[in-house]
Amino acid sequence: MLIVQKYGGTSVGNTERIDAVAQRVIESKKAGHDLVVVVSAMSGETNKLLEYASYFSAMPNQREVDMLLSSGERVTSALLAIALESKGYPAVSMSGRKAGIVTDKIHTKARIEHIDTTQMKKELTAGKIVVVAGFQGITCEGDVTTLGRGGSDLSAVAVAGALKADLCEIYTDVDGVYTTDPRIEPKAKKLEKISYDEMLELASLGAKVLQSRSVEMAKKLNVNLVTRSSFNNNEGTLITKEDNIMEQPLVSGIALDKNQARVTLRGVSDKPGIAAEIFKKLASSGVNVDMIIQNVGHDGTTNLGFTVPQNELEMTKKAMNELKASSVMEYDSEIVKVSVVGVGMKSHSGVACKAFETMANEGINIEMISTSEIKISMVVHAKYGELAVRALHSAYQLDK
């Protein structure tokens, strides 16, 4: 089998942990697998490099920031290759450039356009373990770029897709995907398998295990993805096509997103084009709008409510003040979004009813609702967020 393994910053946080990763890689090699290993920078390294840059400039040139930040992953890849060689296993480290990862020209958040696998295949054929610096690539002109948040996961999935690897293993400090955050509900269970679509919903709704960009790419490239811990030998969670999961559970997980704020515009002119004008202004200001509710208009006006990330609330206020879209604008950051996710919803009725009944039984008022084919999201007051998660987890018997 050809396996791509990715190790995050905590997994390679110091020389002892890099040594432990080398041993884990060797065990896979002994099992007869060909291996490409993608690594992040050592934990804390990226922040340290950014601090160095900020000493000289509050807004450094983004091209130079990419040159700076890409060094962190190159250090880790070289150290791991050295560790593997010292144990008698031929290895070669590669920067994003050497690995053939070509991106667009948007510095600090580049997108991968294609991967030339020639060098990686050459080294694999020679029997070497290939260690790739994650989070980075190059433009067609040869400038170094970085891929933004979750970039090393993205590198690993893209490499796995380009090489047509049998499996892509993402090693982190957690040992899989759980039915909900175990810190909120200790009865949470680790999932053996989950579909790409469910994982995408959970990732976008606050689950921190994987970035949605890497799951999207895995789905697009049909890469079987496993997330597991680098600190134990427990089986992880397989993220795969829906067809590969024999029995679809009704509900797979409950997510809680605390980074939410609600905006209410009262007395908005009820005429064609006003909503387009409001959301165009928000989009041009870089604000990501999530849930939207508009009431039926009366007397030529209507009320419009929507949610935005809490850390984008000030940008939202500025945009709305500039637009003067309504006479009364209200902002509430004391809210959270609780979501029920499961592909089983497609073929079962009553899932939403149970969610709403559960909230009512706990005395929790639902302030906004949004649904999709496999998701029900509810906005509630922040103080009820964790209670809602535990109640829903129990209602759908996810602890069984």
Side-chain angles (χ1 to χ4, degrees):
M1 280 175 70
L2 172 57
I3 298 177
V4 174
Q5 296 182 342
K6 180 264 173 179
Y7 293 90
T10 52
S11 303
V12 292
N14 53 43
T15 49
E16 289 80 9
R17 288 185 176 179
I18 291 172
D19 197 49
V21 165
Q23 199 54 52
R24 189 179 283 269
V25 171
I26 287 167
E27 285 166 16
S28 294
K29 187 67 176 173
K30 282 180 179 175
H33 303 309
D34 290 329
L35 290 165
V36 175
V37 184
V38 178
V39 291
S40 297
M42 297 161 78
S43 55
E45 189 66 21
T46 301
N47 288 340
K48 187 170 75 175
L49 293 170
L50 284 170
E51 282 176 23
Y52 291 157
S54 66
Y55 175 84
F56 298 102
S57 170
M59 294 189 67
N61 181 293
Q62 297 294 277
R63 179 192 179 278
E64 304 311 327
V65 169
D66 274 354
M67 276 292 286
L68 177 68
L69 296 187
S70 65
S71 66
E73 280 71 18
R74 290 204 302 275
V75 167
T76 314
S77 62
L79 288 174
L80 180 56
I82 290 167
L84 289 165
E85 291 263 340
S86 73
K87 297 175 189 296
Y89 285 81
V92 57
S93 65
M94 292 186 178
S95 63
R97 177 193 301 272
K98 188 73 172 174
I101 300 171
V102 179
T103 74
D104 61 20
K105 301 174 187 177
I106 302 173
H107 286 287
T108 73
K109 50 185 177 215
R111 290 189 171 273
I112 296 172
E113 293 188 336
H114 68 270
I115 299 179
D116 180 351
T117 58
T118 307
Q119 282 299 124
M120 286 189 285
K121 285 179 176 175
K122 179 183 172 185
E123 300 294 359
L124 286 168
T125 303
K128 292 183 181 179
I129 298 167
V130 176
V131 186
V132 176
F135 180 62
Q136 63 189 259
I138 57 159
T139 65
C140 290
E141 289 77 19
D143 283 330
V144 173
T145 53
T146 62
L147 307 177
R149 198 173 168 202
S152 292
D153 285 359
L154 205 61
S155 300
V157 173
V159 165
L163 289 169
K164 294 184 169 48
D166 299 286
L167 194 62
C168 179
E169 297 178 325
I170 307 288
Y171 286 88
T172 66
D173 52 0
V174 295
D175 57 358
V177 181
Y178 281 74
T179 49
T180 196
D181 188 337
R183 292 168 297 183
I184 296 173
E185 175 50 90
K187 295 177 185 174
K189 301 287 186 189
K190 188 172 67 182
L191 296 166
E192 184 184 332
K193 294 180 181 179
I194 189 171
S195 71
Y196 295 125
D197 288 337
E198 288 171 310
M199 191 65 237
L200 272 171
E201 290 284 12
L202 289 171
S204 66
L205 295 167
K208 303 287 193 297
V209 182
L210 282 172
Q211 289 286 329
S212 53
R213 279 175 75 197
S214 53
V215 183
E216 280 172 8
M217 184 169 281
K219 181 182 178 182
K220 180 182 172 184
L221 300 177
N222 198 21
V223 172
N224 282 323
L225 203 54
V226 170
T227 177
R228 56 189 302 189
S229 172
S230 58
F231 301 114
N232 60 48
N233 291 314
N234 297 344
E235 291 293 323
T237 300
L238 174 65
I239 301 148
T240 185
K241 288 191 298 187
E242 209 175 299
D243 303 350
N244 293 340
I245 304 173
M246 291 295 288
E247 288 189 42
Q248 292 289 358
L250 181 61
V251 169
S252 293
I254 313 293
L256 177 65
D257 187 352
K258 296 181 178 179
N259 182 29
Q260 290 284 306
R262 184 175 60 178
V263 180
T264 306
L265 307 180
R266 302 194 186 280
V268 178
S269 178
D270 190 19
K271 62 182 183 181
I274 189 68
E277 192 179 336
I278 290 168
F279 294 113
K280 184 178 180 182
K281 178 66 176 175
L282 290 167
S284 64
S285 301
V287 176
N288 289 303
V289 176
D290 184 15
M291 300 164 75
I292 303 170
I293 290 179
Q294 182 171 351
N295 297 336
V296 176
H298 294 289
D299 305 321
T301 65
T302 186
N303 297 336
L304 186 66
F306 54 90
T307 60
V308 298
Q310 204 170 104
N311 53 3
E312 295 178 9
L313 186 55
E314 290 308 311
M315 287 193 293
T316 304
K317 288 179 180 180
K318 184 172 181 289
M320 291 299 93
N321 288 333
E322 288 173 0
L323 192 60
K324 295 182 174 62
S326 74
S327 53
V328 179
M329 291 181 273
E330 298 171 357
Y331 304 97
D332 182 5
S333 57
E334 289 296 308
I335 62 158
V336 294
K337 182 170 65 176
V338 184
S339 303
V340 178
V341 176
V343 291
M345 291 185 199
K346 291 179 183 179
S347 52
H348 291 80
S349 59
V351 180
C353 177
K354 179 171 281 193
F356 304 150
E357 279 181 351
T358 302
M359 296 293 96
N361 292 339
E362 295 294 337
I364 301 172
N365 185 46
I366 302 170
E367 301 179 20
M368 295 176 84
I369 299 167
S370 121
T371 63
S372 74
E373 200 175 18
I374 65 167
K375 172 201 74 179
I376 301 157
S377 287
M378 298 164 283
V379 167
V380 301
H381 193 281
K383 66 182 178 183
Y384 295 122
E386 295 193 0
L387 171 62
V389 168
R390 288 190 289 270
L392 290 165
H393 196 271
S394 175
Y396 292 107
Q397 299 185 325
L398 294 178
D399 50 351
K400 294 292 189 289

